[in-house]
């Protein structure tokens, strides 16, 4: 794992400076904030579509390995919460899907993604996105645009008697830039032009005299004249100016002589330099080497001798160390109707990477204004909207760096409340972090302390339909609480419970008490979407409507058929439905029916049976217990979907096993599933089936949101469903592509639909050492 060492570029330690070090260290260790980016399979959808997503979480510079549960709230354009998905986070990633209701109204669906821990901080840290929803009634922009201009003195304040750099940003009420023309003037005769340099942003310099006020006179793109006063200058304080060159220059200007100042630079809640200098000739100058710093936002804060903050400025360090670029090669082209395509994705062999890949019809719309790099390094670090953030990472030209510095000047906000921190006041933690998965847990009510001490254990019967019933016995502590960390529930389950040692009809059990309640949900009014790609939007909507009409027509034909033959399920499908649930059901796996396999009983152990049957899985049975290796790691072992170990299951007689399912890496059902999982199921005879806990008390709980498999037809096989016209706009969605040393290449297969002539491939991901990737390719 790559660990950054933050060098102290200048150091002058005093007792107060040590106190600040201690404060920053405590803050970094206890109040670090996670950041989230969501990769969607495409940009826009229609009601009834399924949204496929992959979430990436980082904390400071690395994947958020300790985060366990992700919440995603989906709401309509009025801010009404429609649905919440919850997903288990494994090594900083998770994925899933959301089915848009057919009844959804409006041109947008809003989603916010967060962990419990993120709720303790400013709301700007929560991931927010408005997703375009297409409809037959194309939205017309009828909302009145309200232009405004905001001024940002570099460092925070305008100081009299010194040269101040003033940045400005002109935008509408939705944060979109607007073109303006105008001047800045004062009653003492000062005049300068307002020159927009990029996306509504620019800057100018003023040297105010005591009592001198400044006003901007400007016209918007409609020609309407506006008048906006600048912030009032103060007579005391300092002005801070920071250059944009590789070797950052800084200039502190003050109208006070002989004062000494502390200057501290921080990145990711860690100090990276400290300076203590005296003001000479009204200024302090210096250089900040940035070559050895990680890429990201550097915050520079100026304090007086009493450690009161006087000025603050953020600047972006871009050393390119955050990047890795997966290789992309087309091994088999297929642009014709239903033709096969094969693409190879490769990653440098020294990296462990987790990728998500989408392939869509290139003729539909695409919004490339944001991606995993621009969001995690820039947008998620700032308060307020950053317009077209991906622009600043498309090249290394000096102009891109200069424009990015305008973003720093016009989006600066105080990350720390220094007054509170220096007085020992830290953020109020109302929502403890989810340090464990959403396992089966609960608490007993109505029992006396003596009954709880003697309760011993609670018997639980978990029923999820389709003959899927599990039993478990869980110890109860003296407070009546219990938890089975190895039993994670997906979807809805009915729990029957019994306390054999406690006979009291008034006793009740409440399950999953740490479930996050519904939160107040407010969003600003959403603007009509307009990304300029009207032809792509029109094609997408038409294809979606044609697909829906085709499906309705097909359903009508089926209903008119006199005899409908039910498709016979294979024995292996029956076994999978009977024994598996949640993450264990369906999916890409090797499956073994031990009941109907005549050769299974000849194997003297489970692992002896598996030898040679699974590509890449190395099974060594000469050791005790047997050792397993798959893609550089040991797969997880589950017995009846409860995590176990090799030595615990090695001696189970094969004759007692009904079904074995080997899930390819990565397995999302448990921590450490990057090398897959082996699920072993013991036989359930019909004489052992329980009548859903008849006579027992019960409760219904909701676990993690179920994860479905993306449908991608294989036209090299036969299926009566292939008679339907294929109008899919997303041709491939793979949210769980993993590479590691020795297994750094992955080949993916997909088939064209009936109408596409070119494809858009988007690959995003991150490595275990925190590097990020975003590439976009057109296959045509």
């Amino acid at each position: 794992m790559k660990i950054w060492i933050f060098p102290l570029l200048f150091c002058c330690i005093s007792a107060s400076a040590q106190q600040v070090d201690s404060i920053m260290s405590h803050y970094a260790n206890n109040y670090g904030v996670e950041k989230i980016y969501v990769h969607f399979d495409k940009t826009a959808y229609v009601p009834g579509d399924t949204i496929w997503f992959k979430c990436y979480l980082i904390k400071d510079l690395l994947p958020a390995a300790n985060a366990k549960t992700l919440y995603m709230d989906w709401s309509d354009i009025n801010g009404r919460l429609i649905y919440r998905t919850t997903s288990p986070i494994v090594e900083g990633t998770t994925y899933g899907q959301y089915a848009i209701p057919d009844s959804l109204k409006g041109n947008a669906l809003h989603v916010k993604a967060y962990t419990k821990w993120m709720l303790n901080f400013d709301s700007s840290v929560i991931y927010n996105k408005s997703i375009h929803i297409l409809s037959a009634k194309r939205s017309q922009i009828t909302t009145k645009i309200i232009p405004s201009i905001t001024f940002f003195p570099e460092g925070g304040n305008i100081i009299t008697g010194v040269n101040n750099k003033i940045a400005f940003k002109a935008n509408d009420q939705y944060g979109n830039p607007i073109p303006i023309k105008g001047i800045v003037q004062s009653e003492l005769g000062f005049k300068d032009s307002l020159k927009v340099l990029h996306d509504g942003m620019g800057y100018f310099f003023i040297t105010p005299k005591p009592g001198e006020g400044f006003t901007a006179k400007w016209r918007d793109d409609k020609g309407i004249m506006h008048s906006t006063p600048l912030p009032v200058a103060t007579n005391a304080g300092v002005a801070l100016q920071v250059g944009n060159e590789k070797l950052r220059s800084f200039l502190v200007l003050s109208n006070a002589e002989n004062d000494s100042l502390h200057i501290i630079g921080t990145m990711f809640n860690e100090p990276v330099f400290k300076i203590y200098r005296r003001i000479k000739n009204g200024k302090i100058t210096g250089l900040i080497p940035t070559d050895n710093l990680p890429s990201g936002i550097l915050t520079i804060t100026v304090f007086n001798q009493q450690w009161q903050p006087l000025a603050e400025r953020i600047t972006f360090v871009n050393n390119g160390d955050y990047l890795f670029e997966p290789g992309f090669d087309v091994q088999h082209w297929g642009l014709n109707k239903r033709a096969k395509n094969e693409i190879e994705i490769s990653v440098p062999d020294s990296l462990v990477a987790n990728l998500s890949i989408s392939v869509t019809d290139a003729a539909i719309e695409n919004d490339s204004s944001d991606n995993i790099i621009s969001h995690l390094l820039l947008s998620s670090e700032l308060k307020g909207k950053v317009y077209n953030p991906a622009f600043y990472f498309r090249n290394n030209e000096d102009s891109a760096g200069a424009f990015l510095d305008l973003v720093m000047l016009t989006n600066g906000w105080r990350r720390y409340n220094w007054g509170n921190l220096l007085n020992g006041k830290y953020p109020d933690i109302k929502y403890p972090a989810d340090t464990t998965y959403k396992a089966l847990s609960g608490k007993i009510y109505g029992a006396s302390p003596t009954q709880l001490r003697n309760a011993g254990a609670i018997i639980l019967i978990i029923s999820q339909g389709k003959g899927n019933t599990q039993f478990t016995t869980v110890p109860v502590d003296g407070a009546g609480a219990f938890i089975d960390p190895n039993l994670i529930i997906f979807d809805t389950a009915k729990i029957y419970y019994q306390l054999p040692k406690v006979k009291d009809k008034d006793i009740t059990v409440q399950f999953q008490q740490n479930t996050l309640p519904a939160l107040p949900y407010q969003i600003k009014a959403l603007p009509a979407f307009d990304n300029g790609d009207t032809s792509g939007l029109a094609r997408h909507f038409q294809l979606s409507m044609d697909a829906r009409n085709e499906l309705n027509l097909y359903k009508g034909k089926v209903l008119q058929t006199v005899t409908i033959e039910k498709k016979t399920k294979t024995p292996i499908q029956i076994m999978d439905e009977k024994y598996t649930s949640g993450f264990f059901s369906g999916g890409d796996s090797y499956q073994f029916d031990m009941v109907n396999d005549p050769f299974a009983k000849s194997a003297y152990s489970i692992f002896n049976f598996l030898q040679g049957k699974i590509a890449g899985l190395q099974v060594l049975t000469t050791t005790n217990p047997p050792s397993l290796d798959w893609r550089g790691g040991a797969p997880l072992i589950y017995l009846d979907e409860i995590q176990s170990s090799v030595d615990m299951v090695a001696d189970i007689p094969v004759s007692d096993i009904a079904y074995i399912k080997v899930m390819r890496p990565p397995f999302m059902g448990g921590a450490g599933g990057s090398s897959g999982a082996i699920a072993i199921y013991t036989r359930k005879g019909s004489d052992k089936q329980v009548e859903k806990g008849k006579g027992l008390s019960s409760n219904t709980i909701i676990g993690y949101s179920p994860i479905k498999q993306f449908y991608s037809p294989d036209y090299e096989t036969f299926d009566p469903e292939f008679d339907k016209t294929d109008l899919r706009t997303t041709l491939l969605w793979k949210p769980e592509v993993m590479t590691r040393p020795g297994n750094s290449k992955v080949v993916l297969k997909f088939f064209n639909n009936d109408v596409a002539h070119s494809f858009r491939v988007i690959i995003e991901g991150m490595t275990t050492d925190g590097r990020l990737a975003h590439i976009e390719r057109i296959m045509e």
Side-chain angles (χ1 to χ4, degrees):
M1 182 179 295
K2 186 176 183 181
I3 301 296
W4 281 101
I5 303 299
F6 292 91
L8 292 180
L9 305 178
F10 303 89
C11 189
C12 182
I13 302 296
S14 67
S16 296
Q18 290 175 349
Q19 180 186 13
V20 171
D21 283 348
S22 176
I23 289 171
M24 294 301 300
S25 176
H26 180 76
Y27 192 95
N29 292 332
N30 296 281
Y31 300 98
V33 181
E34 298 142 348
K35 297 183 292 185
I36 296 174
Y37 170 75
V38 185
H39 178 193
F40 298 96
D41 65 304
K42 54 191 175 186
T43 298
Y45 302 84
V46 298
D49 268 354
T50 295
I51 298 174
W52 302 90
F53 60 83
K54 168 78 170 280
C55 301
Y56 295 88
L57 291 85
I58 65 171
K59 187 174 183 181
D60 297 331
L61 292 164
L62 300 172
N66 293 327
K68 299 302 181 185
T69 299
L70 182 82
Y71 302 86
M72 297 183 75
D73 290 350
W74 308 84
S75 70
D76 61 18
I77 58 173
N78 298 315
R80 182 178 63 89
L81 182 63
I82 303 172
Y83 190 73
R84 172 182 287 169
T85 54
T86 58
S87 306
I89 304 167
V90 179
E91 297 175 357
T93 67
T94 188
Y95 60 88
Q97 72 291 319
Y98 170 65
I100 305 173
D102 288 316
S103 59
L104 181 69
K105 305 296 182 184
N107 73 328
L109 174 71
H110 192 81
V111 59
K112 69 176 183 179
Y114 54 93
T115 63
K116 269 189 185 179
W117 181 249
M118 295 169 70
L119 297 175
N120 296 301
F121 304 93
D122 190 276
S123 60
S124 62
V125 305
I126 293 175
Y127 177 90
N128 280 276
K129 184 179 179 64
S130 293
I131 299 172
H132 196 168
I133 301 299
L134 306 176
S135 64
K137 296 180 180 179
R138 293 298 305 277
S139 298
Q140 301 296 321
I141 302 178
T142 57
T143 305
K144 181 181 179 181
I145 296 300
I146 304 173
S148 65
I149 187 169
T150 308
F151 295 96
F152 301 87
E154 184 173 15
N157 297 305
I158 302 176
I159 309 300
T160 60
V162 300
N163 195 28
N164 296 261
K165 185 176 183 179
I166 312 296
F168 65 87
K169 180 166 64 174
N171 53 261
D172 62 20
Q173 69 268 40
Y174 305 117
N176 299 319
I178 57 173
I180 65 163
K181 291 182 180 180
I183 61 171
V184 175
Q185 60 187 20
S186 77
E187 64 268 21
L188 298 183
F190 174 88
K191 183 181 290 187
D192 198 0
S193 62
L194 285 174
K195 184 179 180 181
V196 172
L197 300 176
H198 178 70
D199 281 347
M201 299 177 292
Y203 65 87
F204 54 88
F205 290 91
I206 61 173
T207 305
K209 297 178 175 63
E212 185 178 11
F214 295 80
T215 302
K217 304 286 187 179
W218 53 282
R219 293 184 185 273
D220 60 28
D221 55 343
K222 305 295 184 183
I224 300 174
M225 178 63 73
H226 303 265
S227 178
T228 306
L230 271 65
V232 177
T234 62
N235 296 325
V238 300
L240 172 63
Q241 296 178 16
V242 179
N244 189 45
E245 56 281 324
K246 191 73 173 176
L247 190 62
R248 294 286 197 282
S249 63
F250 69 88
L251 172 64
V252 179
L253 298 170
S254 175
N255 52 24
E257 285 293 327
N258 299 318
D259 282 348
S260 295
L261 301 177
H262 298 275
I263 306 172
I264 291 184
T266 56
M267 297 186 77
F268 306 104
N269 300 321
E270 297 281 358
V272 295
F273 73 82
K274 294 193 294 286
I275 301 170
Y276 180 65
R277 290 189 184 175
R278 186 178 298 277
I279 300 171
K280 292 184 179 181
N281 300 321
K283 62 183 178 181
I284 297 175
T285 61
L287 297 174
I288 305 170
T290 61
D291 288 343
N292 293 324
L293 296 180
S295 296
I297 291 179
L298 167 64
T299 302
I300 302 171
T301 309
V302 180
F303 300 85
N304 63 14
Q305 293 188 69
Q306 291 74 41
W307 289 98
Q308 296 172 330
L310 303 178
E312 192 164 84
R313 164 80 145 90
I314 59 174
T315 183
F316 194 88
V317 177
N318 191 347
N319 287 325
D321 51 306
Y322 54 84
L323 279 175
F324 80 99
E325 185 167 344
F328 174 79
D329 181 57
V330 180
Q331 294 193 342
H332 190 283
W333 288 84
L335 298 177
N336 296 325
K337 176 180 178 180
R338 302 193 178 189
K340 182 177 75 171
N341 293 268
E342 289 184 337
I343 56 176
E344 180 185 79
I345 312 299
S346 59
V347 172
D349 200 52
S350 60
L351 300 176
V352 177
N354 191 331
L355 308 171
S356 51
I357 299 164
S358 67
V359 180
T360 58
D361 183 343
I364 68 171
E365 79 297 326
N366 181 58
D367 181 5
S368 58
S369 64
D370 197 12
N371 57 54
I372 188 172
I373 295 171
S374 60
H375 187 83
L376 292 179
L377 289 182
L378 183 61
S379 302
S380 62
E381 288 284 304
L382 300 176
K383 191 172 185 177
K385 179 178 179 178
V386 178
Y387 182 80
N388 194 15
F391 166 82
Y392 305 103
F393 298 91
R394 290 191 182 127
N395 59 65
N396 294 319
E397 296 178 3
D398 291 340
S399 59
F403 294 151
L404 179 54
D405 199 50
L406 282 174
V407 176
M408 299 292 100
L409 284 165
T410 57
N411 284 273
W413 65 291
R414 293 184 182 269
R415 181 178 303 276
Y416 310 108
N417 186 322
W418 288 107
N420 285 343
L421 290 182
L422 293 172
N423 286 312
K425 296 180 181 178
Y426 294 96
D428 183 20
I429 301 303
K430 297 179 180 178
Y431 299 93
D434 284 318
T435 56
T436 59
Y437 288 107
K438 197 176 180 180
L440 180 60
S441 62
K443 189 172 183 179
I444 300 166
Y445 291 90
S448 67
T450 301
Q451 288 176 315
L452 292 176
R453 284 194 299 270
N454 298 328
I458 185 172
I459 297 175
L460 303 174
I461 303 173
I462 304 100
S463 175
Q464 291 188 283
K466 297 183 180 179
N468 181 14
T469 302
Q470 299 181 67
F471 302 83
T472 186
T473 301
V474 186
V476 177
D477 66 19
F482 59 88
I483 183 171
D484 185 344
N486 296 317
L487 189 54
I488 299 174
I489 305 295
F490 283 83
D491 209 351
T492 302
K494 194 164 188 178
I495 312 294
Y496 299 87
Y497 58 89
Q498 185 180 47
L499 287 160
K501 295 184 179 181
V502 180
K503 307 297 183 182
D504 193 328
K505 294 182 179 181
D506 295 329
I507 289 177
T508 60
V509 175
Q510 292 186 12
F511 293 93
Q512 312 291 78
Q513 289 192 305
N514 62 343
T515 300
L516 189 67
L519 302 173
Y521 198 87
Q522 294 180 346
I523 58 175
K524 296 180 179 179
L526 302 175
F529 282 88
D530 182 13
N531 65 356
D533 188 6
T534 54
S535 62
L537 290 168
R539 176 178 173 82
H540 188 174
F541 180 73
Q542 189 59 53
L543 287 175
S544 297
M545 292 301 99
D546 289 347
R548 180 166 296 187
N549 293 336
E550 173 76 14
L551 179 61
N552 291 335
L553 179 63
Y554 182 80
K555 288 180 178 178
K557 289 181 178 179
V558 171
L559 290 174
Q560 293 170 15
T561 305
V562 176
T563 303
I564 301 177
E565 295 184 0
K566 184 178 180 181
K567 186 177 179 180
T568 304
K569 295 180 180 179
T570 64
I572 204 73
Q573 288 175 321
I574 295 173
M575 295 292 283
D576 197 71
E577 290 186 3
K578 180 178 180 180
Y579 282 94
T580 66
S581 64
F583 266 128
F584 296 87
S585 63
D588 188 13
S589 62
Y590 297 90
Q591 299 161 283
F592 303 97
D593 180 354
M594 307 296 284
V595 174
N596 298 303
D597 185 346
F599 302 102
K601 294 180 181 180
S602 62
Y604 58 84
S605 74
I606 295 169
F607 299 110
N608 174 259
F609 172 82
L610 291 176
Q611 274 186 314
K613 290 184 170 62
I614 300 161
L617 176 62
Q618 303 296 320
V619 181
L620 186 63
T621 57
T622 56
T623 60
N624 187 21
S627 64
L628 310 177
D629 183 87
W630 202 5
R631 298 189 181 180
L636 299 176
I637 303 296
Y638 289 87
L639 179 62
D640 293 330
E641 298 187 357
I642 297 176
Q643 191 164 352
S644 185
S645 60
V646 172
D647 57 335
M648 291 289 289
V649 302
D651 295 328
I652 297 178
V654 176
S655 58
D656 291 345
I657 305 302
Y659 182 49
I660 299 176
K661 188 170 186 177
V662 183
M663 277 73 72
R664 290 184 174 91
F667 174 63
M668 298 294 292
S674 57
S675 294
I678 300 175
I680 301 163
Y681 296 87
T682 54
R683 292 182 181 239
K684 298 178 181 179
S686 57
D687 56 334
K688 297 180 181 179
Q689 295 298 316
V690 177
E691 295 183 33
K692 296 186 178 180
K694 184 175 181 180
L696 300 179
S697 299
S698 66
N699 207 334
T700 299
I701 65 170
I702 299 175
Y704 283 120
S705 302
I707 297 176
K708 298 180 180 179
Q709 186 173 5
F710 177 79
Y711 172 70
S712 185
D714 184 350
Y715 286 124
E716 292 180 323
T717 63
F718 171 77
D719 191 319
E721 292 283 312
F722 295 166
D723 291 339
K724 294 185 289 185
T725 305
D726 187 349
L727 299 173
R728 293 170 296 131
T729 52
T730 300
L731 305 174
L732 178 70
W733 171 248
K734 281 287 185 181
E736 75 291 10
V737 177
M738 303 281 289
T739 68
R740 62 179 61 252
N743 188 23
S744 58
K745 296 182 179 180
V746 178
V747 176
L748 302 175
K749 179 176 70 172
F750 69 93
F751 292 85
N752 191 11
N753 58 22
D754 291 348
V755 294
H757 301 291
S758 58
F759 316 128
R760 176 177 286 105
V761 182
I762 295 179
I763 303 171
E764 297 196 300
M766 69 178 177
T767 61
T768 53
D769 63 356
R771 304 187 199 194
L772 306 173
H774 170 86
I775 63 172
E776 183 176 333
R777 298 287 186 270
I778 298 295
M779 295 174 58
E780 57 185 358

